[in-house]
């Protein structure tokens, strides 16, 4: 069994569009102790049935914060170490050195993270390695890969 981290990881979804992906990430947060941050606009209502169904009965175990903009989120966590996940980043997540309390930031299923986020100096861009000529992974899959790599480093190295 895992014990909660003293300083949990924060999983940040910027403008997610597909309710089951966000529900799956919420479930991941519930079972790992990570915090979930959602940045609007969302492509669904927070009360969406598909969102609730994907999170199953874990919603009462999820620490959730909702922000109206990326800037509002950054203002609330000005000193956070952020890892900006993008299929277009040059640095592999396996080169990153994660620490407790880090923020793992993911963009929408449709367009990823906006250029102003990627180039705005609020974090370090990283990618999940894939075969060439492939567009991207599913959002909740990407969050799971990034989260468990960060937890592996924080807990077992």
């Amino acid at each position: 069994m895992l014990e909660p981290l003293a300083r949990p990881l924060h999983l940040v979804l910027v403008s997610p569009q597909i309710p089951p992906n966000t529900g799956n990430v919420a479930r991941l947060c519930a079972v790992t102790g990570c915090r979930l941050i959602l940045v609007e606009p969302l492509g669904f209502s927070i009360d969406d049935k598909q969102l609730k169904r994907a999170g199953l009965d874990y919603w009462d175990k999820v620490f959730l914060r909702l922000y109206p903009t990326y800037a509002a989120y950054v203002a609330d966590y000005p000193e956070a170490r952020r890892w900006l996940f993008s299929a277009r980043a040059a640095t592999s997540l396996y080169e990153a050195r994660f620490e407790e309390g880090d923020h793992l930031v993911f963009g929408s299923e449709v367009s990823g993270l906006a250029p102003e986020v990627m180039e705005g100096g609020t974090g370090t861009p990283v990618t999940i390695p894939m075969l060439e000529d492939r567009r991207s992974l599913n959002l909740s899959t990407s969050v799971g890969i990034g989260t468990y790599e960060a937890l592996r480093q924080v807990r077992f190295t």
Side-chain angles (χ1 to χ4, degrees):
M1 274 305 182
L2 288 177
E3 290 294 321
L5 293 175
R7 294 179 47 235
L9 299 172
H10 292 73
L11 308 184
V12 182
L13 305 184
V14 179
S15 194
Q17 300 298 302
I18 301 173
N21 282 334
T22 300
N24 288 337
V25 173
R27 187 174 185 179
L28 176 68
C29 288
V31 302
T32 60
C34 295
R35 306 272 173 106
L36 178 59
I37 294 174
L38 301 179
V39 178
E40 295 178 305
L42 307 179
F44 49 85
S45 164
I46 207 78
D47 298 323
D48 190 291
K49 280 191 286 187
Q50 290 179 341
L51 177 73
K52 300 293 185 190
R53 186 176 10 206
L56 297 175
D57 56 349
Y58 288 109
W59 280 102
D60 64 325
K61 295 169 181 58
V62 176
F63 173 88
L64 172 65
R65 294 282 310 261
L66 182 65
Y67 287 93
T69 65
Y70 186 75
Y73 149 67
V74 170
D76 235 14
Y77 296 94
E79 303 299 319
R81 283 175 27 110
R82 289 182 192 81
W83 300 96
L84 309 175
F85 282 75
S86 171
R88 295 172 295 285
T91 303
S92 167
L93 87 147
Y94 301 114
E95 296 173 55
R97 293 298 157 245
F98 297 101
E99 298 176 4
E100 284 192 33
D102 281 359
H103 290 225
L104 284 57
V105 182
F106 299 83
S108 81
E109 296 89 341
V110 176
S111 57
L113 289 171
E116 56 269 18
V117 172
M118 291 299 296
E119 300 160 7
T122 61
T124 303
V126 293
T127 191
I128 299 169
M130 299 182 291
L131 294 174
E132 285 187 46
D133 301 323
R134 277 37 173 217
R135 190 179 64 231
S136 64
L137 288 163
N138 172 276
L139 176 62
S140 59
T141 299
S142 297
V143 176
I145 291 168
T147 300
Y148 272 94
E149 174 58 18
L151 288 171
R152 183 192 68 78
Q153 287 186 26
V154 168
R155 292 187 178 282
F156 304 113
T157 58

